[in-house]
């Protein structure tokens, strides 16, 4: 694939169709150049390659564009990446409320990038994955989103998990299969079991084979180790051969692409689960998987940044609200793998209970159906 320079310059006018999110979202809603989009690229035409752009004082946003599809032209694919990157920074908990210049500076100083991976496209529609690399410090984790985009009046209007455009596009895009659409909509019918803080069984297993055990090496904590919901836990060792498996059936997406150790599985009961740091991960692209499907093995993979001092899987629980907004959710009171998990006084503490037994971080936990 041909390498090319991708630049997102700031500030510029708000593009039509983007929610006017506060602060950074408004500043980054860029006016995209009118792209030749309606017809597929002619046979043999180059597709967008991978480019890393260093942030400069002029306000160039560092973006890595990956695209294996050959339907869209280079120009249209770059315009799409610009729109998706703007939305990603608008939704990021780290940069939300910052000015455009501050967001650019933070990423540039830490040598971090926004990655946009266009997975599939037809005339007028595209879908894929976007993420912001994690800082290279212990406990940091990337922020990622599935996206669906539509080309309207010469411009790309994008929907990322967490905004209303995503909800609308999932319901209408021919790129979203009916089964996956049903998974994303399921939360609206199951509000009682997917609300933050609710004492509720999730119907999910822990991320390894049932009736085997791993060590809970880190109790409930924020996905990114910061101030978000305590949605995540770390698991390692045990007698499950280090194999990481899906907590339930659903549709799986490899967030980092082929060879990357981060997978998201959207389950039909209104939850989704994230798995990071895996080694030898299977590549999925909106692929239907069964319960306990093979995902990879515990590892120290850093396909989207962060740091890991020992082999483990960083596992996180997410929910979707009635508007299909994806978000990490607190583990306190959640039933998973036959255990009920509770927060502690600090992140990485907490405990789990089952049939009168209490397990703390550093102890083994068997994965049970009930």
């Amino acid at each position: 694939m041909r390498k090319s320079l991708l630049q997102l310059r700031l500030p510029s006018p708000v593009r039509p169709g983007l929610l006017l999110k506060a602060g950074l979202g408004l500043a980054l809603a860029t006016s995209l150049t009118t792209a030749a989009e309606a017809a597929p690229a002619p046979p043999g035409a180059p597709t967008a390659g991978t480019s890393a752009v260093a942030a400069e004082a002029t306000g160039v946003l560092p973006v890595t564009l990956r695209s294996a599809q050959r339907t869209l032209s280079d120009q249209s694919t770059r315009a799409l990446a610009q729109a998706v990157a703007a939305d990603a920074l608008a939704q990021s908990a780290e940069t939300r409320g910052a000015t455009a210049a501050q967001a650019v500076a933070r990423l540039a100083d830490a040598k971090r990038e926004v990655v946009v991976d266009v997975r599939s496209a037809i005339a007028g529609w595209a879908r894929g994955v976007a993420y912001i690399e994690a800082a290279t410090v212990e406990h940091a984790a990337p922020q990622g989103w599935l996206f669906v985009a539509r080309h309207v009046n010469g411009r790309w209007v994008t929907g990322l998990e967490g905004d209303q455009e995503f909800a609308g596009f999932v319901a209408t895009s021919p790129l979203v299969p009916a089964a996956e659409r049903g998974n994303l909509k399921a939360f609206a019918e199951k509000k009682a079991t997917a609300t933050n803080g609710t004492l509720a069984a999730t119907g999910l297993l822990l991320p390894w084979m049932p009736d085997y055990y791993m060590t809970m090496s880190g109790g409930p904590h924020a996905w990114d180790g910061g101030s978000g919901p305590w949605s995540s836990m770390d698991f390692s060792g045990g007698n499950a051969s280090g194999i990481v498996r899906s907590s339930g059936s659903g549709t799986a997406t490899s967030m980092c692409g082929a060879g990357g150790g981060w997978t998201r599985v959207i389950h039909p009961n209104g939850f989704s689960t994230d798995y990071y740091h895996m080694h030898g991960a299977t590549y999925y692209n909106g692929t239907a998987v069964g319960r306990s499907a093979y995902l990879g093995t515990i590892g120290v993979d850093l396909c989207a940044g962060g740091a890991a001092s020992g082999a483990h899987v960083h596992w996180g629980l997410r929910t979707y609200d009635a508007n299909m907004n994806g978000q990490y959710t607190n583990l306190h009171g959640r039933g998973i793998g036959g255990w009920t998990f509770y927060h502690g006084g600090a992140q990485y503490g907490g405990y789990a209970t089952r049939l009168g037994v209490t397990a703390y971080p550093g102890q083994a936990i068997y994965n049970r159906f009930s």
Side-chain angles (χ1 to χ4, degrees):
M1 292 185 289
R2 181 166 60 89
K3 292 188 176 182
S4 56
L5 184 66
L6 173 63
Q7 296 181 337
L8 177 57
R9 296 191 176 274
L10 309 168
S12 50
V14 179
R15 79 174 185 280
L18 177 65
L19 284 177
L20 300 185
K21 306 179 181 77
L24 180 64
L26 182 59
L28 288 180
T30 59
S31 175
L32 304 177
T33 57
T34 301
E37 152 59 23
T47 57
T50 300
S51 59
V53 183
E56 303 169 353
T58 55
V60 176
L61 181 69
V63 177
T64 296
L65 169 61
R66 297 169 181 162
S67 180
Q69 58 78 33
R70 298 186 62 84
T71 299
L72 307 179
S73 67
D74 273 6
Q75 183 183 11
S76 186
T77 304
R78 292 174 191 143
L80 169 62
Q82 291 175 0
V84 172
D87 273 4
L89 286 179
Q91 288 204 34
S92 168
E94 181 181 1
T95 54
R96 187 183 303 129
T99 67
Q102 288 170 338
V104 169
R106 288 177 189 176
L107 292 176
D109 289 347
K111 297 182 180 179
R112 297 163 59 196
E113 295 178 344
V114 180
V115 177
V116 177
D117 187 347
V118 184
R119 300 283 175 86
S120 59
I122 58 175
W125 288 95
R127 67 172 295 182
V129 171
Y131 62 86
I132 299 175
E133 293 178 334
T136 54
V137 296
E138 193 76 15
H139 305 313
Q143 301 171 68
W145 302 265
L146 307 183
F147 76 81
V148 181
R150 186 171 187 179
H151 200 256
V152 180
N153 297 327
R155 300 171 186 269
W156 282 106
V157 179
T158 63
L160 274 67
E161 290 177 274
D163 64 29
Q164 292 179 11
E165 287 89 351
F166 183 77
F169 291 163
V170 163
T172 58
S173 174
L175 292 175
V176 181
E180 186 176 5
R181 183 177 296 121
N183 289 347
L184 290 171
K185 288 183 176 179
F187 178 87
E189 301 172 358
K190 302 178 183 297
K191 293 180 181 179
T193 63
T195 303
N196 277 350
T198 297
L199 299 178
T202 62
L204 298 173
L205 291 168
L206 292 164
W208 61 89
M209 184 65 77
D211 298 325
Y212 287 76
Y213 72 86
M214 279 193 181
T215 298
M216 180 171 64
S217 49
H221 55 275
W223 171 255
D224 61 359
S227 59
W230 293 8
S231 61
S232 307
M233 295 182 285
D234 296 330
F235 298 102
S236 59
N239 68 348
S241 301
I243 296 175
V244 179
R245 297 183 180 274
S246 172
S247 293
S249 62
T251 55
T253 299
S254 300
M255 301 294 286
C256 287
W262 178 17
T263 299
R264 177 168 297 166
V265 180
I266 299 172
H267 306 289
N269 63 351
F271 289 98
S272 65
T273 46
D274 275 16
Y275 313 74
Y276 191 44
H277 295 314
M278 294 186 297
H279 173 74
T282 298
Y283 177 70
Y284 295 109
N285 186 23
T287 308
V289 295
R291 183 177 62 191
S292 299
Y294 179 94
L295 301 180
T297 62
I298 59 174
V300 293
D301 180 86
L302 303 174
C303 66
S309 57
H312 69 284
V313 59
H314 180 51
W315 180 92
L317 182 68
R318 295 165 55 88
T319 59
Y320 289 85
D321 67 14
N323 292 319
M324 289 176 276
N325 297 334
Q327 56 193 356
Y328 292 101
T329 184
N330 287 314
L331 289 170
H332 190 75
R334 302 287 194 187
I336 306 163
W339 296 81
T340 302
F341 291 86
Y342 296 95
H343 297 176
Q347 296 196 62
Y348 298 92
Y351 59 96
T353 63
R354 181 178 185 275
L355 301 177
V357 176
T358 300
Y360 295 93
Q363 296 181 320
I365 292 181
Y366 274 90
N367 195 13
R368 305 297 193 191
F369 287 106
S370 61

